[in-house]
């Protein structure tokens, strides 16, 4: 596969941003080690955003010949008070639930889970000179910048926090260098950590990434944040500014279970969640159901997506691109209820292998029921 095709795979939906494409091309051209990673805190259930958006990109990276890694951020979850802030519970959930949930998510998105390396943060950070790397990075970042970057923990700027939470962003940057990551991947909400990594790359003394004597800058790949299904806090949204703010705040999140479809949800739960979803007729600017259609159903285009309707409402209709479907929706030719039903059935089909797996192996979900999900 030539370099341009590999770049196309990295840029493919749901990628929203690559920092930078030039640097990515450079990595391919010089034959640098292509080591990807995406990190996750360990807390509640895996949803479509965490499982399928990340899974889709992992599948693309594998096709582009990039080594993929999922980083189970147990220490970071402890710092961020997840699962009662109990490290042992966090590690048990990471290995017995999260790993298998991610493997299944990667598989339904066309990736090869057996080729993904799963690394528990404590495996690397309890040994060697990890903390030296953390200090090296910290010496190159101002306190005000660290304070601004706590949004990568799902915290609000200015929120009252304990001191350990200021170490977390520096650890997240160190994770990249310490593991020799050349392709750092996450959702858009994590970009602050990656921008710091790119900026400090050339200044580091401990664990810079070196190839043939050249200090490499990591490439950051950020995927789209799938919207949650809930109604926005303010409606209608008036300005472009307001729109941007609300979109970031409205991402699907495990701490807002009503906003999310989880990968193990039953068909009844999926139908019910979609029935209640925010999806005003003709609204194409802020519409979570359309957002899911754009990034899940039409990740590959053209794709045939059929919406079944009774003959009196126009009969079945098949779309091959998102733009066609969006146009009909905007013109009122496609009713929200018909769209919601079709999306629910699409997800029920897509998630069937995961549901079936958990029916045969209920232990991970039983473990999840027994833990206290604190954040
Ligand atoms: N809605 C989403 N769509 C796409 N990616 C997401 C979404 N939510 C989280 N991610 C990505 O998944 C990874 C893990 O995120 P995280 O553990 O914060 O998930 P979360 O469910 O949003 O948690 P929280 O409840 O703390 O908000 C990050 O790379 C993040 O950007
Ligand atoms: N900050 C990430 C989790 C993470 C932790 C450490 C990392 O190295 C990478 C990612 C999140 O909240 O989802």
């Amino acid at each position: 596969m030539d370099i341009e095709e590999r770049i196309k795979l990295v840029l493919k939906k749901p990628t929203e941003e690559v920092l930078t494409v030039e640097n990515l091309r450079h990595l391919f051209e010089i034959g640098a080690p292509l080591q990807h990673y995406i990190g996750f805190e360990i807390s509640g259930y895996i949803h479509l955003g965490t499982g399928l958006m990340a899974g889709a990109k992992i599948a693309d990276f594998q096709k582009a010949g990039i080594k993929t890694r999922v980083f189970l951020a147990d220490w970071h979850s402890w710092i961020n008070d997840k699962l009662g802030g109990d490290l042992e519970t966090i590690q048990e959930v990471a290995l017995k639930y999260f790993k298998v949930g991610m493997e299944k998510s990667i598989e339904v998105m066309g990736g090869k889970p057996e080729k993904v390396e799963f690394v528990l943060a404590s495996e690397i950070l309890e040994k060697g000179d990890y903390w030296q790397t953390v200090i090296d990075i910290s010496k190159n970042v101002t306190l005000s910048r660290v304070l601004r970057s706590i949004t990568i923990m799902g915290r609000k700027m200015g929120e009252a926090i304990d001191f350990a939470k200021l170490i977390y962003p520096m650890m997240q940057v160190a994770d990249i260098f310490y593991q020799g990551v050349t392709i750092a991947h996450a959702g858009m909400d994590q970009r602050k950590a990656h921008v710091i990594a790119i900026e400090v790359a050339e200044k580091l003394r401990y664990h810079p990434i070196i190839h043939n004597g050249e200090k490499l800058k990591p490439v950051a790949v950020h995927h789209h944040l799938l919207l949650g299904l809930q109604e926005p806090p303010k409606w209608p949204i008036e300005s472009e500014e307001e729109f941007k703010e609300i979109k970031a705040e409205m991402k699907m999140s495990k701490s807002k279970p009503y906003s999310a479809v989880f990968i193990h949800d039953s068909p009844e739960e999926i139908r019910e969640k979609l029935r209640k979803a925010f999806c005003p007729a003709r609204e194409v600017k802020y519409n979570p159901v359309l957002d899911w259609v754009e990034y899940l159903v039409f990740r590959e285009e053209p794709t045939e997506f059929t919406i079944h309707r009774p003959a009196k409402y126009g009969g079945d209709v098949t779309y091959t691109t998102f733009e066609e479907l969006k146009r009909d929706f905007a013109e009122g030719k496609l009713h929200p209820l018909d769209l919601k039903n079709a999306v629910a059935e699409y997800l029920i089909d897509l998630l069937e292998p995961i549901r079936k797996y958990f029916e045969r192996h209920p232990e991970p979900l039983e473990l999840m029921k027994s833990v206290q999900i604190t954040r």
Side-chain angles (χ1 to χ4, degrees), residues 37-42 50 71-73 76-77 80 82 121 130 151-154 168 171-176 179 185-186 189-190 193-194 251 254:
Y37 109 121
I38 181 165
F40 295 90
E41 280 191 8
I42 307 303
T50 36
F71 185 66
L72 307 167
H76 312 65
S77 310
N80 206 13
K82 299 290 165 91
Y130 178 84
T151 52
I152 64 165
M153 293 183 262
Y168 178 130
M171 289 168 65
Q172 186 161 330
V173 178
D175 299 335
I176 294 173
Q179 297 181 83
H185 163 214
D189 56 342
Q190 302 296 311
H194 294 168
K251 71 162 188 147
K254 57 186 166 270

Side-chain angles (χ1 to χ4, degrees), residues 29 58-59 65 106 137 146 167 245 250 254 272 276 289 353:
E29 281 170 355
I58 288 176
I106 293 164
I137 290 160
V146 177
I167 306 171
E245 264 171 44
M250 297 307 288
K254 57 186 166 270
E272 171 78 2
K276 292 188 178 154
V289 180

Side-chain angles (χ1 to χ4, degrees), residues 134-336:
V134 172
I135 303 295
D136 197 13
I137 290 160
S138 307
K139 282 177 71 72
N140 286 288
V141 183
T142 62
L143 174 60
S144 65
R145 190 158 187 194
V146 177
L147 287 168
R148 285 196 305 269
S149 67
I150 63 164
T151 52
I152 64 165
M153 293 183 262
R155 302 275 172 177
K156 290 209 169 67
M157 259 188 263
E159 189 180 329
I161 47 170
D162 60 61
F163 183 73
K165 293 182 181 55
L166 293 187
I167 306 171
Y168 178 130
M170 299 299 95
M171 289 168 65
Q172 186 161 330
V173 178
D175 299 335
I176 294 173
F177 293 99
Y178 203 68
Q179 297 181 83
V181 168
T182 45
I183 299 177
H185 163 214
M188 283 295 281
D189 56 342
Q190 302 296 311
R191 70 191 300 282
K192 284 187 180 149
H194 294 168
V195 172
I196 294 176
I198 293 168
E199 283 182 24
V200 300
E202 284 163 334
K203 300 181 187 152
L204 294 188
R205 297 172 61 170
Y206 302 97
H207 286 284
I209 308 159
I210 299 180
H211 178 72
N212 287 343
E214 182 190 351
K215 271 192 186 178
L216 297 181
K217 285 186 188 176
V219 169
V221 180
H222 302 134
H223 64 243
H224 172 76
L225 293 174
L226 218 53
L227 290 178
L229 289 176
Q230 73 278 31
E231 185 172 345
K234 179 177 184 299
W235 188 257
I237 301 164
E238 268 133 32
S239 67
E240 214 31 61
E241 274 294 274
E242 237 178 43
F243 182 68
K244 265 195 207 145
E245 264 171 44
I246 287 187
K247 246 186 145 171
E249 201 186 306
M250 297 307 288
K251 71 162 188 147
M252 184 187 300
S253 166
K254 57 186 166 270
S255 36
K256 297 183 211 128
Y258 49 87
S259 81
V261 162
F262 297 109
I263 54 168
H264 64 276
D265 274 352
S266 67
E268 297 68 40
E269 284 167 319
I270 296 175
R271 289 190 189 108
E272 171 78 2
K273 285 180 181 179
L274 272 140
R275 225 182 350 260
K276 292 188 178 154
F278 182 74
C279 181
R282 295 171 182 258
E283 171 60 42
V284 293
K285 197 158 174 174
Y286 186 90
N287 188 323
V289 180
L290 278 185
D291 182 67
W292 295 15
V293 171
E294 181 173 4
Y295 287 94
L296 281 166
V297 179
F298 288 108
R299 182 169 120 77
E300 316 263 358
E301 282 182 319
T303 285
E304 288 206 346
F305 181 51
T306 299
I307 295 182
H308 299 287
R309 308 184 283 203
K312 62 175 174 174
Y313 297 125
D316 291 359
V317 56
T318 299
Y319 295 101
T320 48
T321 65
F322 175 66
E323 282 309 313
E324 287 168 23
L325 183 148
K326 185 173 152 188
R327 199 180 327 116
D328 268 11
F329 193 83
E331 289 172 6
K333 293 182 188 155
L334 177 60
H335 192 275

